[in-house]
Amino acid sequence: MLSKEQHKEFKNYCQLNEIEDIDNFIVKCAKDGLTLDKYGIAPFLPKSQIQEVPVEKEVIIEKIVTKEVKDTQLIEELEKLKKELTEKYNIINEQKNKIKQQDDVLEHFKNVTVNRRTKHMRSSNLNDTYYD
């Protein structure tokens, strides 16, 4: 199963590390390699090295804070701006209504113009302008 070079490498390794039973060591390496491929590295770690790491979760809480303002000038300015905004919305709505009315009138004229047909005599020349 092993080539001569691989067997020589195992033999040299065993001599350096003072391993006497080379054949059992080769079988052990094959089993460890298979287990590593099969299950990954985790089974080889001692339980003392496997640690549970606490995970901190960051939770964002959004709070609405209302603050009482005692400065009357700011309150008056805020009310003024609210009133202006309401007036602008009213103007926009009025303009939208006017546009809708004009679109309705335009649609009516389109329908009237498209449905109206004129009749011409066969001998009439439409390219000729008529001057009085």
Side-chain angles (χ1 to χ4, degrees), residues 94-107:
E94 288 175 9
Q95 291 176 348
K96 283 182 181 179
N97 288 336
K98 285 181 182 178
I99 289 174
K100 186 179 182 306
Q101 288 175 355
Q102 290 175 355
D103 282 343
D104 290 344
V105 169
L106 180 65
E107 189 66 31

Side-chain angles (χ1 to χ4, degrees), residues 113-126:
T113 307
V114 169
N115 293 333
R116 179 182 269 175
R117 301 198 179 201
T118 58
K119 292 185 180 180
H120 300 284
M121 295 177 65
R122 287 185 186 179
S123 63
S124 63
N125 184 4
L126 297 178

Side-chain angles (χ1 to χ4, degrees), residues 26-80:
I26 292 173
V27 172
K28 179 186 174 294
C29 286
K31 286 181 182 178
D32 289 348
L34 178 63
T35 306
L36 180 65
D37 280 346
K38 201 172 183 182
Y39 299 109
I41 200 166
F44 292 106
L45 293 175
K47 289 187 178 181
S48 62
Q49 287 184 353
I50 299 174
Q51 299 175 359
E52 289 187 25
V53 178
V55 178
E56 294 181 19
K57 293 182 181 180
E58 183 177 330
V59 179
I60 299 174
I61 299 174
E62 189 173 319
K63 292 183 178 180
I64 298 175
V65 179
T66 57
K67 190 173 184 181
E68 205 171 300
V69 180
K70 293 184 179 179
D71 191 2
T72 57
Q73 182 182 2
L74 288 176
I75 295 173
E76 289 173 0
E77 186 175 342
L78 179 65
E79 292 300 322
K80 178 184 171 190

